[in-house]
Amino acid sequence: MPVVFVAASKLPTPFATFTMNGFLEEENGREHVVLTLGDVSDGAPVLGRVHSECLTGDALFSQRCDCGSQLEAALRAIASQGRGVLLYLRQEGRGIGLMNKIRAYELQDGGADTVEANERLGFAADQRDYAICLPMLEHLGIRSLRLMTNNPRKVKALTDMGINVAERVPLHTGQNPHNKLYLATKAGKLGHMMGNEHQSEVDPA
Ligand SMILES: [Zn+2]
């Protein structure tokens, strides 16, 4: 998967001033952003988040999902450590795109859950692809992550492609009355760990 580094700049935010690295995925024109803070190339595991774009949650304050609050919690956690990485992957709506996400929401307004809606539109429940992460992490000299996620499948996907996940750090935030069903579906049908567990899952490999 050819991905080229384009440029890096400062990105001041309310939490910290990150370094913003731009990468272009040449075969499909997708433009990805990786924020880093501190020295991430010293070999020690880096607190990290792999976040897939969610325009409605990240930018429009949607309460249909928990993406916006997870993004903010991850940036705050990285800022509080003074070191970390956030990969912002441009794969909207679990990879189905923004218009199809709105179609899926329309079906959900009619009673379907998030998995049923995607399947009715002919998509797998989760079409996200994390292969792009490896070349971007390699470019930044990051060899090992303390990954902030509730999704064991994301840990497995990253581990399978050769990224060392030293620890899974749970992220519990953003529950509200509108996304109760969505979060329950993620827990029940997609295997997310939504309890209040705080254990670390250390990769034996
Ligand atoms: Zn979302």
Side-chain angles (χ1 to χ4, degrees):
M1 177 152 315
V3 59
V4 292
F5 170 75
V6 177
S9 74
K10 288 181 181 168
L11 186 73
T13 73
F15 321 115
T17 297
F18 295 91
T19 300
M20 175 167 63
N21 302 276
F23 292 89
L24 175 65
E25 201 175 342
E26 285 182 312
E27 70 183 58
N28 54 27
R30 282 183 180 169
E31 300 170 316
H32 305 284
V33 165
V34 181
L35 300 184
T36 61
L37 185 67
D39 181 4
V40 292
S41 62
D42 61 5
V46 178
L47 182 65
R49 166 89 183 152
V50 175
H51 191 90
S52 295
E53 176 178 29
C54 174
L55 180 86
T56 47
D58 298 340
L60 300 177
F61 310 99
S62 169
Q63 300 215 312
R64 294 191 79 125
C65 60
D66 55 350
C67 302
S69 61
Q70 291 210 331
L71 177 62
E72 182 175 333
L75 291 176
R76 282 183 189 280
I78 291 166
S80 75
Q81 303 265 309
R83 181 172 178 270
V85 62
L86 180 121
L87 293 89
Y88 193 87
L89 307 181
R90 305 292 299 284
Q91 44 184 353
E92 175 72 48
R94 293 208 183 96
I96 67 174
L98 181 59
M99 294 303 113
N100 286 322
K101 184 164 89 168
I102 298 172
R103 287 192 181 101
Y105 280 169
E106 189 176 60
L107 290 173
Q108 289 171 47
D109 288 344
D113 72 30
T114 177
V115 172
E116 290 162 356
N118 276 15
E119 284 168 354
R120 237 185 276 173
L121 290 168
F123 299 109
D126 193 337
Q127 306 232 137
R128 286 177 292 190
D129 180 3
Y130 299 109
I132 195 73
C133 296
L134 185 61
M136 295 195 292
L137 290 170
E138 280 178 344
H139 177 88
L140 296 165
I142 298 171
R143 290 192 202 92
S144 177
L145 291 176
R146 294 175 55 228
L147 189 69
M148 290 182 277
T149 182
N150 301 322
N151 183 356
R153 296 203 310 190
K154 193 186 281 184
V155 175
K156 185 175 186 309
L158 294 179
T159 303
D160 286 351
M161 70 184 62
I163 295 168
N164 180 40
V165 178
E167 186 186 348
R168 184 179 76 82
V169 180
L171 256 186
H172 296 300
T173 179
Q175 283 101 339
N176 69 55
H178 306 284
N179 65 21
K180 214 171 153 186
L181 176 64
Y182 165 80
L183 295 176
T185 304
K186 278 215 296 199
K189 289 196 175 177
L190 295 172
H192 287 231
M193 324 267 291
M194 305 307 289
N196 288 317
E197 76 281 2
H198 286 280
Q199 83 279 16
S200 298
E201 292 175 358
V202 176
D203 176 22

